[in-house]
Amino acid sequence: CLIEIPVLELEDKSVVDVKNLINEEISKIYTDGVVEKVQAKQVNKLDTGHDKTILVIEDNVDMRNFLLDSLSAQYDVIGAANGLEGIELAINEVPDLIISDVLMPEKDGVEATTQLKNDLRTSHIPIILLTARTNDEQKLSGLSSLADAYMTKPFNMDVLMATIDSMLANRE
């Protein structure tokens, strides 16, 4: 899981690292014998100091974390759990490239792609649709939404990385 590491500063000025507690309730943090209950907040962005940022829109947590982890060696990464969240992050963060699943709750990848490509703030961002939908009609639907590429799952990570590198190089 790729996260910023939140740190809690307690009254006695000790510091508690909550790196492994994202999205979990911290039930036992002791300060002067008192148990406090703290809700850790998920952070969607990992800034690793790379030149390019990729937004991954994927509702499957395992797949999203796999992609974020795999891409973070070369890119700053941002994760979104559905199309609506992805659109909001794309507008606010303006990533260099977006990878989106097609079938998602809230707003699917084709709808999100159409909306992003029709918005002047995000229309320049290359979008790769990554999906288990493999028939030609579904591919045409994805590409007609103005997606720049359509890749099917399961996918080869080397091919995805080459596609990303090519798209980013073509935009420079």
Side-chain angles (χ1 to χ4, degrees):
C1 183
L2 304 171
I3 56 171
E4 289 180 1
I5 302 171
V7 174
L8 300 175
E9 188 171 327
L10 305 174
E11 287 180 25
D12 65 357
K13 300 297 180 197
S14 62
V15 174
V16 177
D17 179 356
V18 292
K19 171 183 175 184
N20 296 318
L21 303 173
I22 299 304
N23 279 341
E24 296 176 8
E25 189 170 81
I26 305 166
S27 60
K28 294 182 181 179
I29 296 177
Y30 292 94
T31 58
D32 299 326
V34 177
V35 177
E36 295 182 11
K37 212 173 207 184
V38 179
Q39 180 65 36
K41 180 182 177 189
Q42 180 176 4
V43 178
N44 288 317
K45 183 175 182 179
L46 178 63
D47 185 351
T48 54
H50 298 290
D51 292 337
K52 304 289 184 188
T53 300
I54 295 178
L55 169 60
V56 175
I57 308 171
E58 170 64 63
D59 62 321
N60 179 289
V61 175
D62 292 333
M63 178 60 76
R64 183 172 63 246
N65 288 339
F66 169 74
L67 288 167
L68 293 173
D69 187 48
S70 298
L71 297 169
S72 68
Q74 290 184 271
Y75 306 102
D76 289 345
V77 292
I78 308 168
N82 61 58
L84 285 178
E85 187 179 315
I87 290 167
E88 181 180 335
L89 284 169
I91 290 168
N92 292 332
E93 300 289 336
V94 191
D96 297 289
L97 185 134
I98 297 170
I99 299 171
S100 178
D101 186 17
V102 172
L103 297 175
M104 294 181 292
E106 305 287 332
K107 188 174 284 266
D108 71 32
V110 172
E111 293 170 327
T113 298
T114 300
Q115 186 171 339
L116 290 167
K117 288 296 190 173
N118 286 302
D119 186 320
L120 289 176
R121 297 169 292 182
T122 56
S123 61
H124 65 285
I125 302 170
I127 299 175
I128 300 171
L129 291 178
L130 191 60
T131 183
R133 301 173 78 183
T134 60
N135 75 39
D136 287 341
E137 184 178 308
Q138 293 162 332
K139 288 179 187 178
L140 286 172
S141 172
L143 292 171
S144 68
S145 71
L146 301 178
D148 297 273
Y150 190 99
M151 294 183 67
T152 56
K153 298 175 189 173
F155 60 91
N156 180 308
M157 194 62 191
D158 292 333
V159 173
L160 178 60
M161 292 299 284
T163 301
I164 292 168
D165 292 343
S166 176
M167 290 177 131
L168 293 174
N170 287 334
R171 299 289 173 168
E172 290 182 355

